[in-house]
């Protein structure tokens, strides 16, 4: 008993200190424009709206087809916005290495031996100043087609995100479309030196590139001498098939042999990358999703983001980052608006869904990012992670509903979904290079069954979807629309209720918290169990004081399922809830005009 009391006291003190920190953050945090909580839809144009049925593994673009910018119509965008979406991340827009030949259009080809899959990796950039010709109906008009998509997206009331890939580029980088006066990366390098401050690449002098994959014979062979360092910091001339062998690491002035930084004068790579950011910002994009930011020095981000925001103050920067120790410096000094919440929230939710961690582990997630919670980008799927409905993950998209509610409502932070997630796409195809891995390929020409049926010949309707797919899409729309319809979620404070409820319900399967703004209080209870949860949720006196909630009897509305009831809000009266298996409830109480006089 003494041990239990000690744990509860320790938990309370930890919670009290954490929420005090949150209160400070509320007053010092820079407000977001229009107080909107970004809801991001990651859209991979190559297979989005590709109507080809029965694609073949390792198929060419002629066999399997390819989605186009023009196929992302106003109708499609209206349907996407109907999910509660505010931003669309067009993934893989910039021209990258591919096995498809476009030489007739003045586009230099890639050697097929250093291309992953027939379509190629969208993160093996071949020309930073051009868009992927695969995505154009008229290749000569490809940039105009993308610019029209930007305009179409804005007219739909949505904002545009594209990738910025700063750490590495294709082994055969060459810009056919750069503005006058722009020099290619590496064109002025001294390749006799492993490192030089103004070299764009790192070299292994006197040694040829000799990976573990075949490079061909004769005139078609790929030859590189001296070897350049591979993109994933592989300083060997012989990267493996598991390395990013198709890419080359960019040099930002860090001498990896000595650990020295050469940032003054500003390295050439910095200037080149800033010019690329300005080029795309001028096209009207609203945000950059920046790839593998922790592999680039934070000093560059501080320098570049500050300059871009002086010219384009509305532009957001989103960081793909996986080192928790770097979160705060990449926000406070680097200048990023949002960071991937992968190793905290995503990994924890996945472990809870697959019964490897208790639901109560979610408390440590917000504590880990306490004070920067609103800067974290929450998600359950993206192109790097396995699909929820895949056999390799959960096998059933509906069982992730409590995780969806938690990830999208636990903070004011953005939430991102991956196209097809809202349909329960299972990713059960072995498309080619990517194999059968529970993901939807980013290397191959392919058509995704669930999206193809939603595409429905350009109608973007639910007519060809199964009953389960229709239900799931409707559920996603309900949950995500609440994120901005309810100020308590979009702007409000968060209060974790777990520390006073360990004896009230099964904390291994249930997670409970409050969101509060103005006169609105929302109690969220997520049930990760296979059984119905009957929970009596205690709301402690500290929550009433901290959030400014007035005790009393109120009419409460359940936001997800529409029911209403009369509840008494009091530290002495637990809030009784019933939550179906793999589900959640969100009970909303409005104080000012729904109080019931006793």
């Amino acid at each position: 008993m003494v041990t239990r009391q000690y744990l509860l006291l320790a938990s309370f003190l930890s919670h009290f200190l954490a929420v005090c920190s949150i209160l400070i953050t509320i007053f010092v945090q820079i407000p977001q424009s229009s107080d909107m909580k970004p809801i991001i839809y990651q859209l991979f144009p190559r297979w989005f709206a590709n109507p080809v049925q029965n694609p073949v593994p390792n198929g060419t673009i002629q066999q399997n087809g390819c989605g186009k910018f023009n196929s992302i119509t106003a109708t499609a965008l209206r349907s996407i916005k109907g999910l509660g979406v505010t931003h669309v991340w067009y993934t893989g827009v910039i021209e990258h290495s591919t096995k498809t030949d476009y030489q007739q259009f003045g586009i230099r080809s890639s050697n097929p031996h250093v291309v992953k899959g027939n379509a190629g990796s969208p993160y093996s950039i071949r020309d930073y100043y051009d868009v992927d010709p695969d995505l154009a109906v008229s290749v000569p008009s490809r940039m105009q087609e993308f610019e029209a998509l930007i305009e179409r997206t804005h007219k739909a009331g949505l904002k545009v995100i594209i990738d910025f890939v700063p750490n590495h580029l294709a082994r055969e980088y060459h810009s056919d479309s750069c503005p006058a006066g722009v020099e290619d990366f590496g064109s002025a390098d001294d390749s006799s030196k492993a490192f030089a401050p103004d070299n764009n690449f790192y070299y292994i002098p006197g040694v040829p590139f000799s990976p573990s994959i075949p490079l061909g014979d004769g005139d078609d062979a790929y030859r590189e001498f001296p070897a350049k360092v591979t993109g994933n910091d592989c300083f060997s001339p012989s990267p493996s098939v598991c390395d990013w062998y198709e890419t080359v690491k960019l040099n930002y002035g860090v001498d990896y042999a000595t650990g020295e930084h050469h940032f003054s004068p500003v390295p050439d790579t910095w200037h080149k990358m800033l010019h690329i950011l300005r080029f795309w910002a001028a096209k009207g994009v609203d945000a950059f999703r920046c790839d593998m930011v922790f592999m680039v020095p934070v000093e560059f981000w501080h320098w570049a983001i500050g300059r871009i925001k002086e010219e384009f103050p509305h532009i957001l920067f989103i960081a793909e980052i996986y080192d928790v120790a770097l979160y705060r410096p990449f926000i406070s000094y680097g200048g990023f608006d949002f960071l991937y919440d992968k190793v905290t929230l995503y990994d924890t939710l996945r472990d809870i869904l697959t019964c490897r961690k208790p639901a109560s582990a979610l408390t440590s997630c917000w504590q880990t990012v306490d004070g920067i919670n609103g800067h974290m980008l929450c998600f359950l799927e993206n192109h790097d992670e396995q699909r929820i409905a895949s056999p390799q993950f959960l096998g059933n998209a509906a069982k992730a509903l409590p995780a969806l509610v938690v990830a999208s409502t636990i903070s004011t932070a953005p939430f991102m979904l991956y196209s097809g997630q809202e349909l329960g796409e299972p990713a059960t195809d072995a498309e080619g290079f990517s194999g059968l891995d529970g993901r939807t390929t980013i290397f191959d020409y392919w058509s995704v069954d669930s999206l193809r049926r939603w595409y429905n010949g350009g109608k973007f309707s639910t007519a060809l979807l199964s009953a389960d797919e229709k239900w799931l899409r409707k559920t996603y729309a309900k949950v995500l629309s609440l994120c901005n319809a309810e100020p308590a979620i979009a702007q409000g404070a968060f209060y974790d209720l777990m520390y006073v409820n360990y004896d009230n319900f099964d904390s291994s399967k249930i997670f409970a918290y409050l969101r509060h703004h103005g006169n609105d209080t929302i109690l969220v209870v997520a049930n990760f169990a296979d059984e119905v949860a009957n929970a009596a949720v205690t709301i402690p006196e500290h929550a009433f004081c901290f959030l400014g909630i007035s005790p009393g009897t109120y009419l409460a509305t359940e936001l997800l399922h529409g029911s209403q009831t009369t509840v008494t809000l009091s530290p002495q009266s637990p809030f009784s809830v019933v939550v179906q298996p793999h589900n959640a409830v969100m009970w909303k109480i409005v104080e000012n005009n729904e109080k019931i006089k006793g």
Side-chain angles (χ1 to χ4, degrees):
M1 187 67 173
V2 173
T3 302
R4 183 67 172 173
Q5 289 175 338
Y6 173 79
L7 290 172
L8 287 173
L9 178 60
S11 179
F12 172 78
L13 290 173
S14 173
H15 190 285
F16 178 74
L17 292 172
V19 293
C20 287
S21 175
I22 292 173
L23 185 60
I24 293 171
T25 303
I26 289 171
F27 288 107
V28 302
Q29 195 175 46
I30 299 172
Q32 297 176 26
S33 60
S34 73
D35 294 318
M36 291 288 286
K37 175 185 173 81
I39 305 297
I40 300 168
Y41 189 85
Q42 183 186 0
L43 187 158
F44 198 67
R46 186 189 295 160
W47 41 251
F48 183 88
N50 181 7
V52 173
Q53 299 186 38
N54 303 314
V56 297
N58 292 306
T60 64
I61 192 171
Q62 290 78 20
Q63 292 172 301
N64 288 355
C66 186
K68 306 296 180 183
F69 293 134
N70 290 356
S71 297
I72 307 169
T73 62
T75 301
L77 293 167
R78 282 194 299 270
S79 186
I80 290 169
K81 188 179 182 183
L83 291 169
V85 168
T86 61
H87 294 65
V88 182
W89 168 19
Y90 294 115
T91 307
V93 162
I94 310 301
E95 184 190 322
H96 53 268
S97 56
T98 178
K99 291 180 183 176
T100 303
D101 186 359
Y102 288 102
Q103 290 185 86
Q104 62 177 311
F105 300 104
I107 300 171
R108 186 181 296 185
S109 292
S110 299
N111 187 295
H113 297 99
V114 284
V115 178
K116 288 183 176 177
N118 281 322
S121 167
Y123 297 98
S124 175
I125 302 298
R126 188 169 63 184
D127 186 348
Y128 280 110
Y129 292 97
D130 205 353
V131 295
D132 181 4
D134 283 344
L135 305 178
V137 173
S138 169
V139 174
S141 302
R142 58 193 179 278
M143 185 62 78
Q144 289 79 10
E145 290 185 21
F146 178 62
E147 290 168 346
L149 175 59
I150 294 175
E151 183 179 358
R152 207 157 52 244
T153 306
H154 287 160
K155 283 184 177 179
L158 298 164
K159 295 186 181 298
V160 173
I161 305 172
I162 66 168
D163 289 288
F164 175 56
V165 186
N167 174 68
H168 51 273
L169 41 65
R171 295 209 89 90
E172 295 183 295
Y173 182 88
H174 173 71
S175 179
D176 302 303
S177 304
C178 61
V182 173
E183 295 182 351
D184 268 353
F185 286 90
S187 62
D189 279 8
D190 181 353
S191 62
S192 68
K193 296 179 179 178
F195 168 81
D198 273 333
N199 274 0
N200 297 137
F201 303 134
Y202 296 96
Y203 296 90
I204 307 173
V207 179
F209 179 60
S210 54
S212 62
I213 59 166
L215 295 181
D217 300 305
D219 294 339
D220 294 331
Y222 176 74
R223 296 178 177 85
E224 179 179 298
F225 184 90
K228 301 181 185 75
V229 170
T230 295
N232 60 323
D233 290 357
C234 177
F235 281 76
S236 165
S238 305
S240 74
V241 70
C242 296
D243 288 307
W244 306 347
Y245 64 82
E246 81 280 25
T247 69
V248 174
K249 170 81 174 178
L250 281 163
N251 170 14
Y252 281 81
V254 177
D255 186 344
Y256 284 88
T258 65
E260 295 177 341
H261 292 179
H262 299 262
F263 299 156
S264 182
V266 174
D268 183 69
T269 300
W270 291 30
H271 288 292
K272 283 184 164 73
M273 283 300 181
L274 179 62
H275 191 274
I276 290 162
L277 285 168
R278 283 175 169 149
F279 175 84
W280 290 105
K283 294 285 185 188
V285 303
D286 303 288
F288 293 101
R289 178 269 188 190
C290 302
D291 191 67
M292 303 299 285
V293 302
F294 55 98
M295 299 181 78
V296 172
V298 69
E299 290 85 355
F300 163 76
W301 295 113
H302 173 80
W303 179 85
I305 291 176
R307 282 160 175 76
I308 290 297
K309 291 207 171 193
E310 285 177 1
E311 299 176 58
F312 307 93
H314 70 286
I315 287 186
L316 300 174
F317 283 82
I318 301 168
E320 180 192 18
I321 189 168
Y322 302 116
D323 187 342
V324 176
L326 297 177
Y327 283 4
R328 286 167 173 80
F330 269 75
I331 293 169
S332 62
Y333 183 70
F336 279 96
D337 298 283
F338 304 116
L339 314 178
Y340 268 35
D341 201 353
K342 150 72 174 159
V343 297
T344 47
L345 188 62
Y346 170 83
D347 284 351
T348 300
L349 283 169
R350 177 165 181 144
D351 284 344
I352 294 168
L353 289 169
T354 53
C355 301
R356 290 194 291 265
K357 280 186 179 178
S360 58
L362 288 164
T363 294
S364 67
C365 291
W366 68 261
Q367 289 176 335
T368 299
V369 296
D370 182 34
I372 58 170
N373 309 66
H375 291 282
M376 306 309 295
L377 173 67
C378 307
F379 58 87
L380 297 177
E381 285 188 4
N382 64 40
H383 67 275
D384 287 317
E385 309 300 339
Q386 291 171 330
R387 293 283 193 173
I388 295 166
S390 69
Q392 293 87 345
F393 186 173
L394 203 57
N396 184 343
K399 288 187 176 181
L401 177 56
L404 168 66
V405 171
V406 170
S408 61
T409 69
I410 196 170
S411 73
T412 60
F415 177 80
M416 179 175 74
L417 70 157
Y418 192 29
S419 58
Q421 177 182 342
E422 74 279 15
L423 304 175
E425 172 55 41
T428 52
D429 297 322
E431 306 100 329
F433 182 87
S434 65
L436 186 60
D437 61 357
R439 299 171 178 84
T440 304
T441 180
I442 63 169
F443 304 106
D444 306 285
Y445 296 111
W446 202 251
S447 173
V448 179
D449 176 65
S450 60
L451 285 169
R452 187 175 63 246
R453 287 184 284 107
W454 172 65
Y455 170 68
N456 192 12
K459 296 177 183 177
F460 294 97
S461 70
T462 61
L464 301 181
L465 300 181
S466 70
D468 287 345
E469 290 168 333
K470 291 177 182 177
W471 173 85
L472 188 67
R473 194 176 194 280
K474 184 177 180 181
T475 300
Y476 266 82
K478 181 68 173 178
V479 173
L480 298 181
S481 293
L482 287 171
C483 289
N484 278 304
E486 296 295 336
I489 298 171
Q491 306 166 45
F494 164 83
Y495 194 97
D496 189 336
L497 295 171
M498 297 301 288
Y499 77 103
V500 291
N501 281 288
Y502 284 107
D503 292 330
N504 296 342
F505 50 71
D506 182 0
S507 62
S508 71
K509 297 297 182 182
I510 296 175
F511 188 68
Y513 54 94
L514 298 173
R515 298 298 310 279
H516 178 84
H517 183 269
N519 293 316
D520 298 355
T521 301
I522 300 175
L523 169 65
V524 182
V525 183
N527 178 19
F528 294 86
D530 295 328
E531 301 82 26
V532 175
N534 291 277
V537 182
T538 295
I539 302 176
E541 186 172 353
H542 179 262
F544 285 83
C545 296
F546 175 70
L547 298 175
I549 302 172
S550 300
T553 301
Y554 299 93
L555 181 66
T557 302
E558 205 291 303
L559 297 174
L560 294 177
H561 308 100
S563 54
Q564 288 189 327
T565 190
T566 299
V567 299
T568 298
L569 282 185
S570 166
Q572 289 75 44
S573 299
F575 196 124
S576 296
V577 298
V578 178
V579 193
Q580 295 303 309
H582 307 292
N583 215 312
V585 293
M586 297 172 62
W587 283 100
K588 177 184 177 180
I589 300 98
V590 181
E591 291 183 32
N592 60 350
N593 57 13
E594 295 191 17
K595 190 169 182 179
I596 299 173
K597 296 180 180 179

